[in-house]
Amino acid sequence: MTQPSTSGDEADRGERAEHRWAAVSVAIVVLLVVMATFAGLYQAAMPQSRVETVDPRRLHLDGEFIESNLGSALEPDGSITVRGIGQQYSFTPSCMIVPTDTLVTFRTTSADVVHGFLIDGTNINLMLVPGYVSSLKARFATAGERLMPCHEFCGLGHEGMWGRIKVIDKAAFARLAVSQRRLNCVE
Ligand code: CUA
């Protein structure tokens, strides 16, 4: 049973509480929108701290990605660095060679538009974006040859943009590396 003398007060109090909670939930929504907007704008305006940039117009002129520096390099610590470029519509080198059971660092970029870099049968999957270095570390357990298709639509010749990667025995690779500064399997 409600008592007529207090029901008006209770209704008032209830309404006030409801307004307060409505205001709190609107404030939360506004705060989330402000945070999302700030994060989005900030990320779009700032380069990520770990991103490495490179001038795509000067790749062939100097720096890490000149033609004579592309391919697989044996580092002093025994690991391998593979440098490659994607361009409409091929990879350079078009055949990459790496040893089994060795840490391999891929360092790649694009000379023109966005390409995809994927090694069939592995989880190696990169985007080659002009202006940026895409880097990934990997290790190949078994020898063999794998396909390397461009998996990002990059123009009319996209379908024909394929490369290969040859994984060879560690000892065989070491023998090759004695005589060549940069290795590839382009025939
Ligand atoms: Cu390059 Cu598709």
Side-chain angles (χ1 to χ4, degrees), residues 105-137:
T105 306
F106 289 94
R107 288 181 60 80
T108 51
T109 188
S110 166
D112 40 43
V113 300
V114 176
H115 298 281
F117 181 89
L118 177 144
I119 299 178
D120 189 39
T122 70
N123 61 358
I124 297 168
N125 185 341
L126 288 168
M127 302 273 284
L128 310 187
V129 183
Y132 297 91
V133 178
S134 303
S135 183
L136 186 80
K137 290 185 194 307

Side-chain angles (χ1 to χ4, degrees), residues 86-91 112-116 149-155 157-159 161:
Q87 65 260 301
Q88 288 167 321
Y89 296 100
S90 62
F91 293 100
D112 40 43
V113 300
V114 176
H115 298 281
C150 172
H151 63 81
E152 196 64 46
F153 183 77
C154 51
H158 162 70
E159 287 165 42
M161 187 168 170

Side-chain angles (χ1 to χ4, degrees), residues 45-58:
M46 303 288 166
Q48 291 172 39
S49 56
R50 285 170 55 241
V51 161
E52 285 179 74
T53 57
V54 63
D55 185 349
R57 292 162 305 180
R58 299 189 56 83

Side-chain angles (χ1 to χ4, degrees), residues 139-175:
R139 207 176 265 277
F140 296 85
T142 52
E145 197 170 311
R146 294 178 182 282
L147 287 173
M148 218 170 65
C150 172
H151 63 81
E152 196 64 46
F153 183 77
C154 51
L156 289 175
H158 162 70
E159 287 165 42
M161 187 168 170
W162 289 80
R164 285 177 304 138
I165 183 156
K166 222 180 222 174
V167 186
I168 65 168
D169 180 65
K170 202 174 175 176
F173 187 94
R175 281 195 296 277

Side-chain angles (χ1 to χ4, degrees), residues 77-81 99-105 137-139:
D77 66 357
S79 73
I80 302 295
T81 304
T100 51
D101 194 29
T102 306
L103 181 67
V104 177
T105 306
K137 290 185 194 307
R139 207 176 265 277

